[in-house]
Amino acid sequence: MAIDSKVVAQVAHLARLKVDQADTDALSSRLNDILAMVDQLQQADVADVAPMAHPLDVTQPLREDEVSEPNIRDKAMAIAPAAEEGCFLVPRVIE
Amino acid sequence: MSWEVVIGLEIHVQLNTTSKLFSGSKLSTGAEPNTQASLVDLGMPGTLPVVNKEAVRKAALFGLAINADICRHSVFERKNYFYPDLPKGYQTTQLDKPIVGAGVVEVQLESGEKKVVRIHHAHLEEDAGKSLHEDFHGMTGIDLNRAGTPLIEVVTEPDMSNAEEAVAFAKKLHAIVTSIGICDGDMSQGNMRFDVNVSIRKPGEPLGTRTETKNLNSFRFMERAIKLEVERQIDVLEDGGEIVQETRLYNGDTHTARSMRSKEDANDYRYFPCPDLLPVEITDADLDALKAAMPELPDARKARFMADYQLSEYDADLLSGDLATAAFFEGAAKAGNDAKLAANWVMGELAAKLNAEEKTISNSPVSADQLGQLIARLKDGTISSKIAKQVFEACWAGEGDPDAIIEAKGLKQMSDSGELEKIVDDIIANNTPQVEDYRNSDDAKKKKKIGFFVGQAMKATQGKANPQQLNQLLKDKLG
């Protein structure tokens, strides 16, 4: 798959990144280099290798189902740009 | 040629853990906004999620209950999108390696027919917070108490072909998750939420374009939303139009639905494995422990109700579906020592009263023990069935246990035959024309005409006469 400046603009939009038009060509070239490396990896013979979900051969430690976190609302509200009646306020969003 | 309807469901089931999926924040409804939101739930930089063992256990238990393969190394992924009630900018969920693989749920339809609905998979994920659009003078308020609540999302194959089947499946799923104790099942609190995928086609043709109606929170709304969407799709296609793949919102109050016109790129979630979380391992020992701890499933309970209590399949089905109803019935049957009477009262008087007052059986003002006591008094002849209804009403109104009510109101059936005999004698003496008329009638007419005397006697005793005893007395004396 080749990445052009249109794809770069689309991905940047999805990630809410502001990318200048001038930078998109350079970015698409660098992203294409990364994809070329992935293509090279694809050529490795992995017929005898079991699929791996994670690079580390360890599993997730689990936590007991207990309440350990205190109420930190006042601290969180203090650093919020806007808050009222215990809620964080954001510009109106409605679908 | 008629249309064929194809329905698939996605159901969010809220797990009833004590704490959240990835943080030790308390999980409860009704708390003040944002008082149960920790740094992890707020999406603060530098925090790390730690997986709740109980949530994993409950998800795997569900998998075993539907005979699914349990993934031994399930993987969490990030589903990326921006919305204010998702402060991290991604939902931690599962995609390629969900904890529960393919399974099956068998559903009994109203016709008695059985239907198998295949489960594609079920995955563990966190819920988002809540956006509140009112009362904030043009702004939106964000409450993150719900953020991080553990859910399993159950995804079915498109195996249902009408609204009734979809509802029957949804009820069965509700029965399973409440029976195995992984979900409280309170629909009004959003404990279970349904997304419905609907498409139509002519028989034999490939699948049509589907729409998704999201966030239905009652069985009734789900049924109505499906019927409405099927009608809409038929109208569009028969008018020569095309179905657009879209997400729709159903409004239960107005019985209307509208398209949620999201941008076309909104569904590009750019999933990738969450680098903060390792694969979650489930061992053979874990599975053995879960199997050993598996509570009774609805189908097994139904079979037991039929065998142990001699209930009909219909009665057993109604009483075993919901765990709270099943427990109530068993409690009342045991306390009253009569399963048939308990079944009749739970499905009859109690269900009607709960329905009328929009209460659930879990918060019934009459307890299973109280109903059992009432049944016991009915059974031993202390009260008649007519009086029993009166006692039930009083018990519902909080006037105490049935025994206390019967005592306080003097509702005991008249057992003293001498007293009743005197009343009957008085009635016969005071109603000479009716007595003459009765005595001159043939047997068939006598059967009808005795009703007059029964009515008089019941009136005189305020309903406390034992009906059998009264009938016998009247027959003896009237001739």
Side-chain angles (χ1 to χ4, degrees):
Chain A
M1 171 190 174
I3 289 190
D4 55 21
S5 52
K6 211 175 136 195
V7 175
V8 171
Q10 163 79 353
V11 172
H13 168 70
L14 285 174
R16 301 296 186 271
L17 294 174
K18 186 170 182 290
V19 177
D20 289 336
Q21 187 61 40
D23 293 332
T24 56
D25 287 345
L27 274 169
S28 44
S29 150
R30 282 164 63 188
L31 288 169
N32 279 320
D33 287 348
I34 293 170
L35 290 183
M37 188 192 72
V38 173
D39 277 343
Q40 199 179 343
L41 283 173
Q42 297 275 36
Q43 285 159 26
D45 180 7
V46 291
D48 295 335
V49 184
M52 164 172 91
H54 200 275
L56 301 178
D57 192 18
V58 284
T59 55
Q60 177 66 37
L62 302 176
R63 168 178 65 77
E64 292 300 324
D65 182 24
E66 286 160 3
V67 175
S68 57
E69 295 293 328
N71 171 12
I72 54 163
R73 183 169 81 174
D74 291 347
K75 285 179 184 166
M77 296 273 135
I79 55 168
E84 198 177 293
E85 289 173 48
C87 284
F88 300 104
L89 291 192
V90 298
R92 191 172 177 83
V93 274
I94 199 145
E95 301 207 45
Chain B
M1 197 165 36
S2 64
W3 294 93
E4 194 173 278
V5 179
V6 179
I7 301 167
L9 301 178
E10 292 167 25
I11 306 101
H12 287 97
V13 177
Q14 185 178 321
L15 300 179
N16 52 1
T17 51
T18 306
S19 65
K20 292 188 178 177
L21 181 52
F22 298 117
S23 82
S25 295
K26 191 174 180 203
L27 202 63
S28 66
T29 47
E32 282 287 301
N34 292 305
T35 53
Q36 297 175 1
S38 69
L39 294 172
V40 169
D41 313 318
L42 294 171
M44 289 293 169
T47 56
L48 278 177
V50 188
V51 182
N52 183 338
K53 188 191 258 179
E54 189 64 8
V56 172
R57 203 190 73 87
K58 287 185 162 164
L61 192 66
F62 172 73
L64 291 176
I66 60 160
N67 286 313
D69 296 325
I70 307 297
C71 183
R72 300 309 193 86
H73 289 90
S74 70
V75 174
F76 283 107
E77 313 240 359
R78 292 183 178 182
K79 176 181 178 177
N80 300 279
Y81 66 93
F82 292 101
Y83 206 74
D85 57 25
L86 186 79
K88 288 189 299 183
Y90 58 85
Q91 179 193 27
T92 307
T93 177
Q94 299 186 311
L95 184 69
D96 283 339
K97 287 177 174 284
I99 184 159
V100 175
V104 286
V105 171
E106 195 181 79
V107 178
Q108 170 131 14
L109 302 176
E110 239 168 76
S111 62
E113 201 184 322
K114 289 202 164 82
K115 161 125 201 153
V116 170
V117 175
R118 293 167 300 156
I119 305 298
H120 181 272
H121 77 272
H123 61 259
L124 256 176
E125 65 181 23
E126 60 178 339
D127 207 346
K130 269 186 188 160
S131 298
L132 308 161
H133 301 295
E134 277 124 42
D135 307 329
F136 292 100
H137 41 83
M139 304 277 280
T140 291
I142 304 295
D143 173 10
L144 296 170
N145 281 349
R146 200 180 65 182
T149 299
L151 308 173
I152 48 171
E153 182 174 336
V154 182
V155 180
T156 76
E157 297 286 355
D159 284 351
M160 288 148 281
S161 48
N162 56 52
E164 290 76 16
E165 286 182 13
V167 170
F169 168 79
K171 287 186 173 167
K172 184 63 179 283
L173 192 72
H174 183 270
I176 293 172
V177 298
T178 53
S179 293
I180 63 174
I182 66 168
C183 173
D184 292 340
D186 186 347
M187 310 280 286
S188 69
Q189 294 297 321
N191 289 173
M192 271 178 97
R193 308 194 293 268
F194 301 91
D195 298 346
V196 186
N197 291 300
V198 176
S199 67
I200 61 171
R201 64 174 168 189
K202 294 284 185 185
E205 287 188 358
L207 288 173
T209 305
R210 66 183 162 90
T211 64
E212 182 178 31
T213 304
K214 272 187 159 337
N215 257 329
L216 300 161
N217 64 359
S218 81
F219 298 126
R220 193 180 345 129
F221 283 171
M222 186 175 120
E223 180 169 5
R224 296 174 68 187
I226 291 172
K227 287 183 171 161
L228 185 70
E229 178 58 11
V230 168
E231 277 169 32
R232 188 191 70 88
Q233 291 193 10
I234 291 174
D235 285 350
V236 169
L237 291 181
E238 290 190 343
D239 288 349
E242 262 183 34
I243 303 297
V244 183
Q245 186 167 347
E246 63 184 355
T247 301
R248 299 181 64 82
L249 277 183
Y250 175 75
N251 182 333
D253 296 331
T254 57
H255 188 47
T256 54
R258 63 177 174 86
S259 173
M260 254 171 74
R261 297 216 179 276
S262 308
K263 283 179 196 155
E264 57 186 32
D265 61 15
N267 282 329
D268 191 345
Y269 292 124
R270 294 149 295 133
Y271 281 90
F272 62 89
C274 182
D276 285 344
L277 292 163
L278 294 160
V280 174
E281 184 178 43
I282 293 179
T283 63
D284 286 344
D286 293 335
L287 286 183
D288 288 345
L290 282 169
K291 281 177 192 157
M294 178 67 76
E296 185 177 44
L297 290 168
D299 287 347
R301 187 160 53 228
K302 179 176 156 186
R304 183 168 60 82
F305 279 11
M306 289 168 71
D308 290 3
Y309 300 117
Q310 280 84 49
L311 295 184
S312 69
E313 180 166 19
Y314 180 82
D315 289 358
D317 204 45
L318 280 180
L319 291 169
S320 65
D322 171 72
L323 182 62
T325 306
F328 195 104
F329 158 70
E330 286 205 89
K334 211 171 155 192
N337 198 24
D338 191 313
K340 188 61 202 161
L341 274 177
N344 289 344
W345 275 84
V346 171
M347 292 184 298
E349 209 74 19
L350 181 71
K353 195 85 182 160
L354 290 171
N355 205 20
E357 299 199 6
E358 293 184 356
K359 286 189 161 76
T360 64
I361 201 156
S362 321
N363 52 36
S364 163
V366 175
S367 72
D369 275 348
Q370 287 174 325
L371 184 60
Q373 197 175 77
L374 180 72
I375 287 164
R377 294 297 84 86
L378 194 52
K379 214 185 160 193
D380 67 17
T382 307
I383 52 172
S384 66
S385 54
K386 196 176 159 215
I387 295 291
K389 285 183 184 164
Q390 197 183 327
V391 175
F392 178 81
E393 290 289 338
C395 187
W396 181 279
E399 292 175 29
D401 286 343
D403 276 347
I405 293 167
I406 293 166
E407 192 60 46
K409 300 194 171 203
L411 295 174
K412 257 188 202 147
Q413 218 159 220
M414 210 169 277
S415 50
D416 180 350
S417 59
E419 199 181 336
L420 188 60
E421 199 174 344
K422 195 178 164 292
I423 290 169
V424 168
D425 285 342
D426 283 351
I427 290 168
I428 291 175
N430 296 332
N431 295 281
T432 320
Q434 284 88 347
V435 175
E436 287 303 309
D437 182 39
Y438 178 89
R439 285 180 175 152
N440 292 330
S441 301
D442 59 26
D443 281 354
K445 282 197 174 146
K446 275 184 177 171
K447 265 191 184 165
K448 280 188 191 167
K449 288 187 174 170
I450 201 166
F452 167 77
F453 301 99
V454 172
Q456 293 292 312
M458 282 298 179
K459 207 169 151 190
T461 60
Q462 286 146 0
K464 287 184 283 181
N466 179 319
Q468 285 87 6
Q469 205 181 2
L470 175 63
N471 254 303
Q472 197 52 54
L473 260 176
L474 283 168
K475 274 184 198 159
D476 291 348
K477 296 205 175 255
L478 287 166

